[in-house]
Amino acid sequence: GEAIVGGRICLIEDVKEIGRFVDGAILVTRITDPDWVPIMKRAAAIVTDHGGRTSHAAIVSRELGLPAIVGTGNATHVLHDDQEVTVSCAEGDQGFVYEGIAKFEVETLDFSSLPETTTRIMLNLANPAAAYRWWRIPAEGVGLARMEFVVSNHIKAHPLALARFDTLKDDKVRAEIEALTTGYADKTEYFVDSLSRGLARIAAAFYPKPVIVRMSDFKTNEYAGLVGGAEFEPKEENPMIGFRGASRYYSPRYRDGFALECQAIRRLRNDMGFNNVVVMIPFCRSVKEADKVLEVMAESGLKRGEDGLEVYVMCEIPSNVILAKEFAKRFDGFSIGSNDLTQLTLGVDRDSGELAGLFDEQDEAVEW
């Protein structure tokens, strides 16, 4: 964000200690994941040792409207509990932590006087609860609604652990899923119902303006972290360029899970009436892969062009740029994914703190 806040630090290194978090404190920790969200919602600001601009802490903080400084390297060693500091994200691309409570001024903008722009300005959202926080902003809809937030924070279970519940070997996992799906005779219905309702909150906040929902783009290590996920995910050396995005949708390894995602989108559009929802496919490596995904979607009741359904694709791999004309024949629009496009053009792991200085979305090779 671009905010600034002063307050006392609450340093927590292990998620097991979140019970001692003080409401309104500045959370300082090594790294966050979905287990930290309950206290992130109660924090005034967040500072982490690890992570980049696309890390969990950065994305969730943006959704919550919190100032966050990630990838500091040594915050948990330099800062300490009850220390008074000011966290500033209002001074450009770099954030700063100042000792003591600094004085600052707040400027309030009147949105009603903003001029119209030729380019349609749209929001990026993931947290359904945040949709009603930002609806007053004069945006032309949602350009990216991330499905993963609903799955990891509300559903919590791996879709295949629900679809193939009877094959699960871990009794503890089975018990967790039984608890999560209480009241549902069909465990897959829990996934479809929860996902469609979560996304509906975003679609409703901006209706009838378009809401572009990206289908799941977890990496295998992230999927494995969901309840029951470890039994279904391969271990990869580099999940960032591994079994993710479009390649999962038609693969026997995940096809049943993707079918549940499609069911949720169908319910969202056809049963709930949110025909403003547009589907977007992430990390589609080739035009052949695009054809396979569109075929699988059609088999699941989501056929491009039917009932006004538009299907977009993320332009985040060099092949998407090189073969843009071919991809354009198969999709209704593109969304430029600058993070992955930068990563794959410059050969820089976007989550690497060591290489953070080389990750530049404005590098001439990326802009070319």
Side-chain angles (χ1 to χ4, degrees), residues 98-217:
Y98 298 104
E99 187 169 5
I101 307 296
K103 293 182 179 179
F104 55 87
E105 295 180 353
V106 177
E107 181 182 1
T108 302
L109 298 177
D110 180 4
F111 287 159
S112 63
S113 63
L114 292 178
E116 289 189 15
T117 57
T118 303
T119 301
R120 293 195 304 168
I121 305 299
M122 304 175 83
L123 297 176
N124 282 7
L125 287 176
N127 182 1
Y132 295 97
R133 174 196 297 265
W134 304 115
W135 73 270
R136 290 186 179 86
I137 292 179
E140 294 300 317
V142 176
L144 172 60
R146 297 182 179 89
M147 182 181 289
E148 298 87 23
F149 190 94
V150 178
V151 176
S152 60
N153 291 282
H154 298 284
I155 297 173
K156 299 182 180 179
H158 193 290
L160 293 183
L162 299 168
R164 304 174 188 173
F165 179 77
D166 292 338
T167 69
L168 293 174
K169 301 172 184 176
D170 190 322
D171 290 338
K172 184 179 178 182
V173 167
R174 291 174 68 90
E176 282 189 73
I177 291 178
E178 289 283 13
L180 285 170
T181 59
T182 299
Y184 289 88
D186 182 347
K187 290 177 172 51
T188 60
E189 173 60 18
Y190 164 73
F191 183 92
V192 175
D193 184 51
S194 300
L195 183 56
S196 59
R197 286 177 181 272
L199 295 174
R201 295 177 68 181
I202 299 176
F206 294 91
Y207 189 85
K209 295 176 180 178
V211 171
I212 302 173
V213 175
R214 187 180 69 186
M215 306 304 275
S216 67
D217 192 26

Side-chain angles (χ1 to χ4, degrees), residues 52-64:
R53 69 184 71 184
T54 58
S55 65
H56 178 268
I59 291 173
V60 174
S61 296
R62 282 196 292 269
E63 293 285 325
L64 297 175

Side-chain angles (χ1 to χ4, degrees), residues 246 250 284-295 327 330-331:
Y250 57 87
C284 188
R285 294 174 168 96
S286 69
V287 291
K288 289 182 180 179
E289 187 163 73
D291 291 335
K292 289 181 180 179
V293 171
L294 291 171
E295 182 180 347
F327 279 99
R330 292 158 172 82
F331 296 101

Side-chain angles (χ1 to χ4, degrees), residues 299-311:
E299 291 173 3
S300 295
L302 290 179
K303 187 174 182 180
R304 178 190 170 209
E306 196 170 274
D307 296 323
L309 176 65
E310 291 187 322
V311 183

